[in-house]
Amino acid sequence: MAVEGTTGRVTKRRVRTRANLLDAAFAVFAAKGFGRVSIEEVCEAAGYSRGAFYSNFDSLDELFFALYQQRADLIADQVSGALALDGPALDVPEAVDRVTEVLLLDRDWLLVKTDFLVYAARAPEVARTLLEHRARLRRAIAERLSRARGHTELPAVLGDVEGAAHAVVAAYDGVTVQLLLDRDVERARVWLKQLLTALLTDGSDTTV
């Protein structure tokens, strides 16, 4: 029993250490840019040693992907939750309203993600992993659109639900690029709503 209790405390401590390292890394990445940050700087910001870092992550790449997974999971859950409120049919304008109200539009995160995207573009193995992470959000969207098939028609130009999911993510990417430049979160939400409504309904305000 004593061993189990100790193991539990160690596990909780490691979880806390990992979370603190992720929080510190996010702040440092946002301030300085990924690629300009060392492991030592992350450790210093978190108040831990290099040993604590390497007991949780093999590299800054691995740490970033843990950060990315957190945000990708959050965004996928936000989108899935907003889209799941309809029945079998999908009221696209209302669903778009819900998605754009809850969707994470964090400029600091976008700065970090953009830095890493440029880095990944020059590193094929990293790019492959990043693409796998991005695919989760598309799958969440495609799954919901697939359940609505037969009840809600999508514009034919999008092809199938996979094509629609790709288009939705592309619209999100475009809006976030603008947000990086003008820093206007509310405008970004309005623009995203307009783009997604036009994209999924041929520009109409009602489902077909």
Side-chain angles (χ1 to χ4, degrees):
M1 294 294 293
V3 172
E4 291 178 0
T6 301
T7 302
R9 288 195 297 274
V10 169
T11 298
K12 289 178 182 178
R13 186 163 59 247
R14 286 199 63 178
V15 168
R16 185 167 59 250
T17 298
R18 182 181 176 89
N20 289 341
L21 284 166
L22 287 169
D23 288 344
F26 176 70
V28 176
F29 288 160
K32 299 187 67 174
F34 185 87
R36 300 178 182 87
V37 174
S38 67
I39 290 174
E40 287 79 9
E41 287 174 298
V42 172
C43 293
E44 181 180 356
Y48 293 120
S49 66
R50 286 175 63 91
F53 180 94
Y54 283 114
S55 69
N56 287 277
F57 305 103
D58 290 334
S59 64
L60 286 176
D61 284 6
E62 183 181 336
L63 182 150
F64 175 83
F65 278 121
L67 270 177
Y68 195 95
Q69 186 67 60
Q70 281 184 344
R71 298 304 172 106
D73 286 349
L74 173 60
I75 292 171
D77 288 345
Q78 289 172 331
V79 171
S80 296
L83 294 179
L85 295 178
D86 289 317
L90 183 64
D91 186 326
V92 172
E94 288 191 11
V96 167
D97 279 347
R98 292 194 299 268
V99 169
T100 53
E101 282 301 313
V102 303
L103 194 60
L104 178 70
L105 290 173
D106 179 348
R107 189 172 180 276
D108 282 345
W109 169 242
L110 296 174
L111 284 170
V112 174
K113 186 178 75 168
T114 301
D115 278 340
F116 197 78
L117 178 62
V118 173
Y119 167 69
R122 296 185 173 94
E125 290 186 6
V126 178
R128 281 195 292 272
T129 304
L130 188 57
L131 286 170
E132 290 170 4
H133 281 272
R134 285 171 59 83
R136 184 175 186 271
L137 177 58
R138 291 198 304 272
R139 286 197 298 269
I141 297 168
E143 180 183 349
R144 180 60 186 96
L145 294 176
S146 181
R147 293 202 306 273
R149 182 180 289 174
H151 301 274
T152 304
E153 294 296 329
L154 294 172
V157 69
L158 296 177
D160 54 16
V161 293
E162 294 293 334
H166 273 272
V168 167
V169 174
Y172 173 73
D173 286 342
V175 168
T176 56
V177 168
Q178 183 68 25
L179 176 57
L180 281 174
L181 300 175
D182 64 23
R183 302 168 181 256
D184 191 337
V185 175
E186 290 310 310
R187 181 180 175 84
R189 292 194 190 281
V190 171
W191 189 26
L192 183 60
K193 175 183 175 181
Q194 292 170 341
L195 282 175
L196 293 182
T197 301
L199 183 68
L200 297 175
T201 66
D202 278 335
S204 68
D205 288 333
T206 59
T207 54
V208 176

